[in-house]
Amino acid sequence: MKNIFYACISMLFLFSCSVDTNELNEQEENLTQTIEKNLNRGMYYGMFTTLNSKYRAKVEINIPKVFLNDYTKVSKQQIPYARVDLQNGETVFAKAIALPEEKTAISNLLFKGENISFLFSVDNNGSNPTISSAKYKSLDADILVIKANRRPKTITGTYECLDCGTHPSLGEGKQQTFNIMFPDGGTGNENNITTQLNLGDNVFVSNTGNSQSNCDANNGKNNCDITGTSVNGNVTWTGNHIYQDDASCSSVTGTWDFDSNYGLLSGTFVSDDATCRQTIFSEDFNSFQAAGFTPSPAVGQLDSNIYKVTGFSDGDSDYGDTNTSGDLARGSSVGGVSAGGIYAFETSTGDFSLGVQPGGSDFTPGTIDIRVENKTNSYLSEIYLNGDLFVNNDQERGNSIDIYYSIDNVNFILLTGGTNYVSPGPSDGDGFQLAFSINKLIDLSSNPIEPSEFIYFRLESDDVSGSGARDEFSIDNILVEGI
């Protein structure tokens, strides 16, 4: 009897195991089918640029793993969406106007948001993600994405030509998009870097021949060599990728050569992300009222240990001088003045700048020098100069503006490409307008600035053409950063 009982128990146990195994196999099969169905669902990451290079961005697109036919009943978390983080700090969102169908490729799924729209397509297995008909603020745009289980490192930036010949799309100082993406995260050696760059109204993408190597770590900061090709192999570029171990910053800089039909062209590229840089000087001039220059400035004055000016009939100033009257302290104005001198020009409501009204014996020629001290504990081998130049073209004469730098206050080197300006001869009534913005990388790797040493910047102006009175100039939003 006992044997029969044990036999029955054994049969019951075997039967139960058989049922559980069958159920498990069925569940695994269903799970496998679901995974196969969902291969084109998930996260897509990439890069964005308008064809005129005005806007650049990092992009992420989420296609949630849900399959509901009624778009009106799904939650916000179940709707495919896109996030576009622009280089100016703004973030734009778009969402799909329909749900992708189950078990199929996604074809021309329309995403729309404020000022942005595009069509998204991808094969059923998640390959060949493609974005077409992209627009932002009515500007044609290009978006490149990859499907990834982890977020790649994407860095937006620009390039410009320094020796451009007669190329029609590469005028000196014209900045165009140079975006770069590290699919493997950008830490250590990597051989599948992707670039996206504009040339005129065309966008070129390259994901072959681009690599990162020779990463050197120092106190949590990593410096890697990056090289690559683009534009059908005619452009070769090389540079550095700097990033922190804690991922708090990541930036690239470098140079390029273009073997074009217009000869061998060359230039530089630099990322928008400045978080690896240390701010060593900034000034927005909003408290400046042109009350003069002193070594211990009061409200409305500027520090003469930093600023000096030359070329005025009242005499030149020097570092540490006190000048609080006459040509060097003309007060604030909205423009349209006649007396030569230093002014606090209000270029827009509440926004003041360091301005000059040139005259026959004032600032023709003349200079404004800015002395910036390295107050960090590091040697600075790269300096980034940013700023804005405004012009009130209210007179018929044309005047030049050139920007220089120096590391010894004796030999000044002209910055080229976008920082050499001549005001128009014919006048207009438009008031102060932005003439150009400065965004310059100065490579000092062969002679870095030591702690407590200085770098000097100079704005120089003179008459060029025409006759009569002169236009008014001002500089604003100066930012000097270093690595």
Side-chain angles (χ1 to χ4, degrees):
M1 178 65 74
K2 185 181 291 186
N3 291 336
I4 295 175
F5 174 77
Y6 284 139
C8 290
I9 292 296
S10 299
M11 291 177 64
L12 179 62
F13 177 76
L14 291 172
F15 177 75
S16 298
C17 288
S18 176
V19 171
D20 290 343
T21 301
N22 290 336
E23 289 179 351
L24 181 60
N25 290 337
E26 183 178 352
Q27 290 173 1
E28 288 180 346
E29 182 179 356
N30 290 338
L31 178 60
T32 300
Q33 291 176 353
T34 300
I35 291 174
E36 290 175 352
K37 295 174 186 176
N38 292 347
L39 284 178
N40 60 6
R41 269 59 174 178
M43 296 299 300
Y44 296 80
Y45 301 96
M47 306 175 283
F48 162 97
T49 179
T50 53
L51 299 195
N52 67 353
S53 295
K54 184 175 182 179
Y55 300 99
R56 304 171 296 282
K58 305 172 186 179
V59 177
E60 64 179 54
I61 299 173
N62 183 15
I63 309 295
K65 297 178 180 179
V66 295
F67 304 98
L68 297 174
N69 294 324
D70 190 347
Y71 184 85
T72 63
K73 294 181 180 180
V74 300
S75 68
K76 182 183 294 185
Q77 291 76 20
Q78 295 170 322
I79 298 175
Y81 76 88
R83 173 177 176 144
V84 179
D85 292 308
L86 295 161
Q87 91 278 9
N88 59 11
E90 297 179 9
T91 298
V92 179
F93 292 94
K95 65 180 182 180
I97 65 168
L99 293 174
E101 295 183 7
E102 186 179 0
K103 304 179 184 179
T104 65
I106 298 174
S107 178
N108 293 330
L109 178 63
L110 176 60
F111 282 76
K112 293 191 71 174
E114 184 176 1
N115 296 321
I116 191 168
S117 64
F118 60 86
L119 299 175
F120 175 83
S121 301
V122 63
D123 294 344
N124 189 39
N125 63 1
S127 62
N128 300 317
T130 304
I131 293 177
S132 58
S133 303
K135 286 188 176 293
Y136 178 64
K137 291 187 174 182
S138 300
L139 299 171
D140 291 333
D142 182 80
I143 303 176
L144 169 72
V145 294
I146 62 172
K147 191 174 188 298
N149 293 323
R150 69 169 182 169
R151 188 188 305 272
K153 181 176 291 181
T154 303
I155 301 174
T156 64
T158 58
Y159 76 94
E160 65 177 330
C161 191
L162 300 182
D163 184 6
C164 310
T166 59
H167 196 286
S169 301
L170 290 172
E172 286 193 7
K174 182 178 181 180
Q175 295 180 340
Q176 301 185 78
T177 293
F178 183 95
N179 293 338
I180 185 167
M181 180 167 59
F182 301 82
D184 294 339
T187 58
N189 294 343
E190 190 166 339
N191 293 313
N192 59 347
I193 297 171
T194 300
T195 58
Q196 176 193 44
L197 63 87
N198 286 15
L199 180 57
D201 291 330
N202 298 307
V203 177
F204 294 86
V205 173
S206 172
N207 55 14
T208 59
N210 305 326
S211 64
Q212 174 170 280
S213 60
N214 301 323
C215 293
D216 180 28
N218 183 18
N219 295 324
K221 183 179 290 185
N222 301 271
N223 192 323
C224 304
D225 295 334
I226 53 175
T227 60
T229 62
S230 189
V231 190
N232 303 322
N234 291 337
V235 172
T236 58
W237 53 267
T238 182
N240 295 97
H241 173 210
I242 297 175
Y243 65 92
Q244 297 280 40
D245 284 340
D246 61 4
S248 61
C249 74
S250 187
S251 61
V252 298
T253 58
T255 60
W256 55 266
D257 294 300
F258 181 16
D259 187 7
S260 76
N261 293 332
Y262 298 85
L264 184 63
L265 314 182
S266 62
T268 61
F269 62 89
V270 60
S271 60
D272 297 311
D273 187 358
T275 53
C276 281
R277 311 171 194 169
Q278 302 179 74
T279 297
I280 56 176
F281 178 78
S282 65
E283 179 59 74
D284 62 12
F285 299 104
N286 283 341
S287 63
F288 179 53
Q289 292 298 305
F293 301 82
T294 75
S296 299
V299 175
Q301 298 175 330
L302 290 178
D303 189 343
S304 63
N305 290 314
I306 298 175
Y307 300 89
K308 76 170 187 176
V309 295
T310 68
F312 289 97
S313 58
D314 284 352
D316 298 341
S317 72
D318 204 349
Y319 294 119
D321 285 354
T322 296
N323 296 277
T324 57
S325 63
D327 289 344
L328 304 189
R330 291 295 186 189
S332 60
S333 171
V334 295
V337 296
S338 57
I342 295 290
Y343 290 83
F345 284 132
E346 190 174 10
T347 56
S348 61
T349 303
D351 191 359
F352 291 89
S353 56
L354 171 57
V356 179
Q357 171 62 72
S361 56
D362 292 318
F363 215 69
T364 52
T367 65
I368 298 175
D369 285 7
I370 303 175
R371 180 174 68 173
V372 176
E373 182 181 0
N374 176 11
K375 294 183 178 181
T376 74
N377 294 321
S378 305
Y379 282 70
L380 301 178
S381 59
E382 292 180 355
I383 295 294
Y384 299 82
L385 173 63
N386 297 273
D388 296 321
L389 177 84
F390 290 88
V391 174
N392 179 14
N393 180 36
D394 63 341
Q395 303 297 329
E396 299 299 315
R397 191 186 288 265
N399 284 70
S400 63
I401 293 289
D402 294 300
I403 309 295
Y404 298 79
Y405 79 92
S406 173
I407 59 174
D408 60 9
N409 199 29
V410 176
N411 301 295
F412 281 82
I413 299 171
L414 178 66
L415 290 175
T416 59
T419 59
N420 318 107
Y421 176 81
V422 177
S423 64
S427 63
D428 59 48
D430 296 337
F432 279 99
Q433 299 293 316
L434 179 65
F436 65 82
S437 291
I438 308 166
N439 179 19
K440 287 296 180 181
L441 162 64
I442 301 171
D443 184 359
L444 300 175
S445 55
S446 61
N447 196 359
I449 302 175
E450 298 181 17
S452 300
E453 288 190 341
F454 297 92
I455 184 169
Y456 303 82
F457 299 99
R458 171 171 291 175
L459 181 153
E460 184 173 281
S461 180
D462 201 356
D463 289 339
V464 173
S465 63
S467 60
R470 283 94 177 160
D471 299 328
E472 298 164 340
F473 303 88
S474 67
I475 54 175
D476 201 0
N477 304 318
I478 296 175
L479 175 63
V480 182
E481 301 167 305
I483 292 180

